[in-house]
mmCIF file of all heavy atoms in Angstrom:
data_model
loop_
_atom_site.group_PDB
_atom_site.id
_atom_site.type_symbol
_atom_site.label_atom_id
_atom_site.label_comp_id
_atom_site.label_asym_id
_atom_site.label_seq_id
_atom_site.Cartn_x
_atom_site.Cartn_y
_atom_site.Cartn_z
ATOM 1 N N LEU A 113 28.141 23.458 14.547
ATOM 2 C CA LEU A 113 27.262 23.333 13.454
ATOM 3 C C LEU A 113 25.990 24.028 13.716
ATOM 4 O O LEU A 113 25.281 24.781 12.826
ATOM 5 C CB LEU A 113 27.080 21.866 12.934
ATOM 6 C CG LEU A 113 28.263 21.158 12.432
ATOM 7 C CD1 LEU A 113 27.953 19.663 12.176
ATOM 8 C CD2 LEU A 113 28.682 21.824 11.175
ATOM 9 N N GLN A 116 25.964 27.795 13.382
ATOM 10 C CA GLN A 116 25.962 28.353 11.859
ATOM 11 C C GLN A 116 24.647 28.698 11.391
ATOM 12 O O GLN A 116 24.433 29.514 10.564
ATOM 13 C CB GLN A 116 26.671 27.295 10.987
ATOM 14 C CG GLN A 116 28.157 27.086 11.187
ATOM 15 C CD GLN A 116 28.631 25.832 10.401
ATOM 16 O OE1 GLN A 116 28.028 25.439 9.474
ATOM 17 N NE2 GLN A 116 29.815 25.549 10.774
ATOM 18 N N ARG A 117 23.561 28.133 11.892
ATOM 19 C CA ARG A 117 22.232 28.386 11.395
ATOM 20 C C ARG A 117 21.848 29.742 11.765
ATOM 21 O O ARG A 117 21.996 30.292 12.842
ATOM 22 C CB ARG A 117 21.154 27.404 12.074
ATOM 23 C CG ARG A 117 19.832 27.512 11.360
ATOM 24 C CD ARG A 117 18.854 26.556 11.734
ATOM 25 N NE ARG A 117 17.488 26.619 11.075
ATOM 26 C CZ ARG A 117 17.190 26.211 9.925
ATOM 27 N NH1 ARG A 117 18.129 25.498 9.199
ATOM 28 N NH2 ARG A 117 16.002 26.497 9.474
ATOM 29 N N GLN A 123 15.280 30.853 5.639
ATOM 30 C CA GLN A 123 15.675 29.375 5.195
ATOM 31 C C GLN A 123 14.709 28.395 5.630
ATOM 32 O O GLN A 123 13.889 28.628 6.577
ATOM 33 C CB GLN A 123 17.085 29.061 5.782
ATOM 34 C CG GLN A 123 17.246 28.990 7.261
ATOM 35 C CD GLN A 123 18.741 28.809 7.755
ATOM 36 O OE1 GLN A 123 19.101 29.491 8.498
ATOM 37 N NE2 GLN A 123 19.198 27.618 7.290
ATOM 38 N N PRO A 124 14.636 27.299 5.020
ATOM 39 C CA PRO A 124 13.616 26.241 5.270
ATOM 40 C C PRO A 124 13.947 25.588 6.646
ATOM 41 O O PRO A 124 15.142 25.757 7.115
ATOM 42 C CB PRO A 124 13.677 25.338 4.125
ATOM 43 C CG PRO A 124 14.500 25.835 3.090
ATOM 44 C CD PRO A 124 15.340 26.885 3.759
ATOM 45 N N GLU A 125 13.144 24.766 7.177
ATOM 46 C CA GLU A 125 13.525 24.101 8.377
ATOM 47 C C GLU A 125 14.593 23.072 8.249
ATOM 48 O O GLU A 125 15.395 22.817 9.204
ATOM 49 C CB GLU A 125 12.213 23.365 8.911
ATOM 50 C CG GLU A 125 11.173 24.320 9.401
ATOM 51 C CD GLU A 125 9.931 23.556 9.938
ATOM 52 O OE1 GLU A 125 9.210 22.937 9.181
ATOM 53 O OE2 GLU A 125 9.703 23.663 11.178
ATOM 54 N N LYS A 126 14.756 22.504 7.073
ATOM 55 C CA LYS A 126 15.769 21.631 6.804
ATOM 56 C C LYS A 126 16.006 21.380 5.368
ATOM 57 O O LYS A 126 15.351 21.991 4.466
ATOM 58 C CB LYS A 126 15.483 20.214 7.320
ATOM 59 C CG LYS A 126 14.181 19.573 6.796
ATOM 60 C CD LYS A 126 13.920 18.209 7.604
ATOM 61 C CE LYS A 126 12.670 17.686 6.990
ATOM 62 N NZ LYS A 126 12.368 16.361 7.514
ATOM 63 N N ASN A 127 17.086 20.717 4.996
ATOM 64 C CA ASN A 127 17.499 20.403 3.594
ATOM 65 C C ASN A 127 17.830 21.541 2.622
ATOM 66 O O ASN A 127 18.242 22.621 3.154
ATOM 67 C CB ASN A 127 16.340 19.704 2.941
ATOM 68 C CG ASN A 127 15.956 18.360 3.548
ATOM 69 O OD1 ASN A 127 16.881 17.663 4.071
ATOM 70 N ND2 ASN A 127 14.723 18.043 3.685
ATOM 71 N N TRP A 128 17.902 21.290 1.419
ATOM 72 C CA TRP A 128 18.500 22.157 0.407
ATOM 73 C C TRP A 128 17.600 23.222 -0.140
ATOM 74 O O TRP A 128 16.485 22.938 -0.386
ATOM 75 C CB TRP A 128 19.180 21.377 -0.710
ATOM 76 C CG TRP A 128 19.640 22.129 -1.895
ATOM 77 C CD1 TRP A 128 18.846 22.514 -2.949
ATOM 78 C CD2 TRP A 128 20.928 22.690 -2.213
ATOM 79 N NE1 TRP A 128 19.580 23.330 -3.896
ATOM 80 C CE2 TRP A 128 20.882 23.353 -3.414
ATOM 81 C CE3 TRP A 128 22.111 22.482 -1.434
ATOM 82 C CZ2 TRP A 128 22.007 24.002 -3.954
ATOM 83 C CZ3 TRP A 128 23.296 23.099 -2.097
ATOM 84 C CH2 TRP A 128 23.270 23.831 -3.309
ATOM 85 N N MET A 129 18.180 24.527 -0.212
ATOM 86 C CA MET A 129 17.417 25.522 -1.071
ATOM 87 C C MET A 129 18.312 26.141 -1.939
ATOM 88 O O MET A 129 19.590 26.398 -1.718
ATOM 89 C CB MET A 129 16.781 26.488 -0.023
ATOM 90 C CG MET A 129 16.267 27.781 -0.603
ATOM 91 S SD MET A 129 15.586 28.937 0.666
ATOM 92 C CE MET A 129 17.136 29.362 1.578
ATOM 93 N N TYR A 148 13.763 23.882 -3.958
ATOM 94 C CA TYR A 148 13.882 23.242 -2.760
ATOM 95 C C TYR A 148 13.964 21.728 -3.031
ATOM 96 O O TYR A 148 13.227 21.204 -3.868
ATOM 97 C CB TYR A 148 12.701 23.549 -1.803
ATOM 98 C CG TYR A 148 12.600 22.825 -0.467
ATOM 99 C CD1 TYR A 148 13.580 23.055 0.387
ATOM 100 C CD2 TYR A 148 11.375 22.026 -0.176
ATOM 101 C CE1 TYR A 148 13.565 22.379 1.678
ATOM 102 C CE2 TYR A 148 11.481 21.413 1.130
ATOM 103 C CZ TYR A 148 12.481 21.584 2.028
ATOM 104 O OH TYR A 148 12.374 20.974 3.198
ATOM 105 N N ASN A 149 14.953 20.981 -2.273
ATOM 106 C CA ASN A 149 14.925 19.657 -2.241
ATOM 107 C C ASN A 149 14.460 19.218 -0.924
ATOM 108 O O ASN A 149 15.086 19.289 0.098
ATOM 109 C CB ASN A 149 16.390 19.104 -2.391
ATOM 110 C CG ASN A 149 16.514 17.602 -2.389
ATOM 111 O OD1 ASN A 149 15.439 16.912 -2.164
ATOM 112 N ND2 ASN A 149 17.770 17.145 -2.589
ATOM 113 N N PRO A 150 13.204 18.555 -0.926
ATOM 114 C CA PRO A 150 12.528 18.141 0.350
ATOM 115 C C PRO A 150 13.243 16.936 0.971
ATOM 116 O O PRO A 150 12.761 16.521 2.105
ATOM 117 C CB PRO A 150 11.110 17.863 0.009
ATOM 118 C CG PRO A 150 11.095 17.588 -1.486
ATOM 119 C CD PRO A 150 12.303 18.268 -2.103
ATOM 120 N N ASN A 151 14.154 16.246 0.209
ATOM 121 C CA ASN A 151 14.787 14.960 0.666
ATOM 122 C C ASN A 151 15.931 14.949 1.212
ATOM 123 O O ASN A 151 16.458 14.008 1.811
ATOM 124 C CB ASN A 151 14.611 13.969 -0.607
ATOM 125 C CG ASN A 151 13.129 13.937 -1.057
ATOM 126 O OD1 ASN A 151 12.221 13.872 -0.308
ATOM 127 N ND2 ASN A 151 13.019 13.898 -2.401
ATOM 128 N N ALA A 152 16.856 15.989 1.028
ATOM 129 C CA ALA A 152 18.236 15.999 1.401
ATOM 130 C C ALA A 152 18.898 17.511 1.489
ATOM 131 O O ALA A 152 18.341 18.307 0.743
ATOM 132 C CB ALA A 152 19.012 15.067 0.464
ATOM 133 N N PRO A 153 19.942 17.489 2.030
ATOM 134 C CA PRO A 153 20.655 18.927 2.248
ATOM 135 C C PRO A 153 21.600 19.079 1.000
ATOM 136 O O PRO A 153 22.627 19.835 1.089
ATOM 137 C CB PRO A 153 21.278 18.965 3.532
ATOM 138 C CG PRO A 153 21.582 17.468 3.722
ATOM 139 C CD PRO A 153 20.528 16.669 3.102
ATOM 140 N N VAL A 154 21.280 18.458 -0.169
ATOM 141 C CA VAL A 154 22.236 18.672 -1.281
ATOM 142 C C VAL A 154 21.124 18.841 -2.437
ATOM 143 O O VAL A 154 19.968 18.622 -2.407
ATOM 144 C CB VAL A 154 23.004 17.477 -1.722
ATOM 145 C CG1 VAL A 154 24.042 17.292 -0.563
ATOM 146 C CG2 VAL A 154 22.362 16.198 -1.875
ATOM 147 N N GLU A 403 26.317 27.726 0.439
ATOM 148 C CA GLU A 403 27.316 27.469 1.516
ATOM 149 C C GLU A 403 28.764 27.444 0.766
ATOM 150 O O GLU A 403 28.823 27.332 -0.428
ATOM 151 C CB GLU A 403 27.021 26.101 1.883
ATOM 152 C CG GLU A 403 25.626 25.907 2.630
ATOM 153 C CD GLU A 403 25.446 26.595 3.780
ATOM 154 O OE1 GLU A 403 26.426 26.809 4.676
ATOM 155 O OE2 GLU A 403 24.314 27.015 3.994
ATOM 156 N N ASP A 405 31.202 25.676 2.832
ATOM 157 C CA ASP A 405 31.822 24.542 3.567
ATOM 158 C C ASP A 405 31.919 23.357 2.799
ATOM 159 O O ASP A 405 31.543 23.308 1.668
ATOM 160 C CB ASP A 405 31.238 24.494 4.970
ATOM 161 C CG ASP A 405 29.798 24.121 4.826
ATOM 162 O OD1 ASP A 405 29.332 24.035 3.748
ATOM 163 O OD2 ASP A 405 29.154 23.709 5.927
ATOM 164 N N GLU A 407 30.311 19.542 1.782
ATOM 165 C CA GLU A 407 29.071 18.832 1.665
ATOM 166 C C GLU A 407 28.788 17.929 2.793
ATOM 167 O O GLU A 407 27.737 17.800 3.279
ATOM 168 C CB GLU A 407 28.839 18.174 0.332
ATOM 169 C CG GLU A 407 27.557 17.691 0.025
ATOM 170 C CD GLU A 407 27.442 17.044 -1.424
ATOM 171 O OE1 GLU A 407 27.276 17.911 -2.335
ATOM 172 O OE2 GLU A 407 27.557 15.804 -1.623
ATOM 173 N N ALA A 408 29.901 17.450 3.196
ATOM 174 C CA ALA A 408 29.751 16.498 4.447
ATOM 175 C C ALA A 408 29.272 17.235 5.660
ATOM 176 O O ALA A 408 28.516 16.646 6.324
ATOM 177 C CB ALA A 408 31.181 15.778 4.703
ATOM 178 N N ALA A 409 29.703 18.452 5.769
ATOM 179 C CA ALA A 409 29.310 19.344 6.929
ATOM 180 C C ALA A 409 27.790 19.638 6.692
ATOM 181 O O ALA A 409 26.931 19.599 7.808
ATOM 182 C CB ALA A 409 30.191 20.496 7.052
ATOM 183 N N ASP A 410 27.315 19.885 5.625
ATOM 184 C CA ASP A 410 25.918 20.259 5.333
ATOM 185 C C ASP A 410 24.961 19.078 5.692
ATOM 186 O O ASP A 410 24.007 19.168 6.201
ATOM 187 C CB ASP A 410 25.816 20.723 3.857
ATOM 188 C CG ASP A 410 26.442 22.112 3.516
ATOM 189 O OD1 ASP A 410 26.789 22.735 4.451
ATOM 190 O OD2 ASP A 410 26.645 22.226 2.344
ATOM 191 N N VAL A 411 25.493 17.856 5.326
ATOM 192 C CA VAL A 411 24.714 16.640 5.499
ATOM 193 C C VAL A 411 24.704 16.500 6.969
ATOM 194 O O VAL A 411 23.573 16.070 7.543
ATOM 195 C CB VAL A 411 25.385 15.409 4.829
ATOM 196 C CG1 VAL A 411 24.747 14.119 5.228
ATOM 197 C CG2 VAL A 411 25.385 15.536 3.309
ATOM 198 N N LYS A 412 25.701 16.810 7.731
ATOM 199 C CA LYS A 412 25.757 16.583 9.173
ATOM 200 C C LYS A 412 24.829 17.500 9.814
ATOM 201 O O LYS A 412 24.199 17.106 10.787
ATOM 202 C CB LYS A 412 27.151 16.723 9.694
ATOM 203 C CG LYS A 412 27.239 16.304 11.144
ATOM 204 C CD LYS A 412 28.828 16.271 11.658
ATOM 205 C CE LYS A 412 28.826 15.875 13.190
ATOM 206 N NZ LYS A 412 30.297 15.831 13.537
ATOM 207 N N LYS A 413 24.758 18.833 9.397
ATOM 208 C CA LYS A 413 23.958 19.763 10.049
ATOM 209 C C LYS A 413 22.517 19.677 9.475
ATOM 210 O O LYS A 413 21.603 20.274 10.218
ATOM 211 C CB LYS A 413 24.383 21.180 9.868
ATOM 212 C CG LYS A 413 24.508 21.777 8.490
ATOM 213 C CD LYS A 413 25.290 23.083 8.450
ATOM 214 C CE LYS A 413 25.361 23.631 7.156
ATOM 215 N NZ LYS A 413 26.315 24.836 7.029
ATOM 216 N N GLY A 414 22.282 19.036 8.294
ATOM 217 C CA GLY A 414 20.942 18.843 7.856
ATOM 218 C C GLY A 414 20.230 19.858 6.953
ATOM 219 O O GLY A 414 19.124 19.743 6.735
ATOM 220 N N TRP A 415 21.081 20.908 6.636
ATOM 221 C CA TRP A 415 20.601 21.813 5.830
ATOM 222 C C TRP A 415 21.759 22.654 5.017
ATOM 223 O O TRP A 415 22.757 22.546 5.338
ATOM 224 C CB TRP A 415 19.771 22.966 6.664
ATOM 225 C CG TRP A 415 20.685 23.696 7.654
ATOM 226 C CD1 TRP A 415 20.851 23.332 8.899
ATOM 227 C CD2 TRP A 415 21.419 24.869 7.543
ATOM 228 N NE1 TRP A 415 21.752 24.137 9.684
ATOM 229 C CE2 TRP A 415 22.200 25.100 8.803
ATOM 230 C CE3 TRP A 415 21.673 25.756 6.505
ATOM 231 C CZ2 TRP A 415 22.979 26.164 9.055
ATOM 232 C CZ3 TRP A 415 22.562 26.805 6.728
ATOM 233 C CH2 TRP A 415 23.229 27.048 7.842
ATOM 234 N N ALA A 416 21.295 23.299 3.935
ATOM 235 C CA ALA A 416 22.193 24.056 3.186
ATOM 236 C C ALA A 416 21.557 25.195 2.311
ATOM 237 O O ALA A 416 20.460 25.000 1.865
ATOM 238 C CB ALA A 416 22.915 23.073 2.065
ATOM 239 N N SER A 417 22.150 26.488 2.450
ATOM 240 C CA SER A 417 21.843 27.560 1.796
ATOM 241 C C SER A 417 20.752 28.345 2.621
ATOM 242 O O SER A 417 19.942 27.894 3.126
ATOM 243 C CB SER A 417 21.313 27.425 0.411
ATOM 244 O OG SER A 417 22.233 26.629 -0.491
#
Side-chain angles (χ1 to χ4, degrees):
L113 294 177
Q116 292 173 13
R117 189 170 178 89
Q123 59 185 123
E125 293 182 287
K126 61 181 180 179
N127 294 327
W128 169 274
M129 172 179 64
Y148 180 57
N149 180 356
N151 302 317
V154 298
E403 303 292 327
D405 60 351
E407 190 170 279
D410 295 343
V411 171
K412 187 172 182 179
K413 68 191 180 189
W415 58 271
S417 303

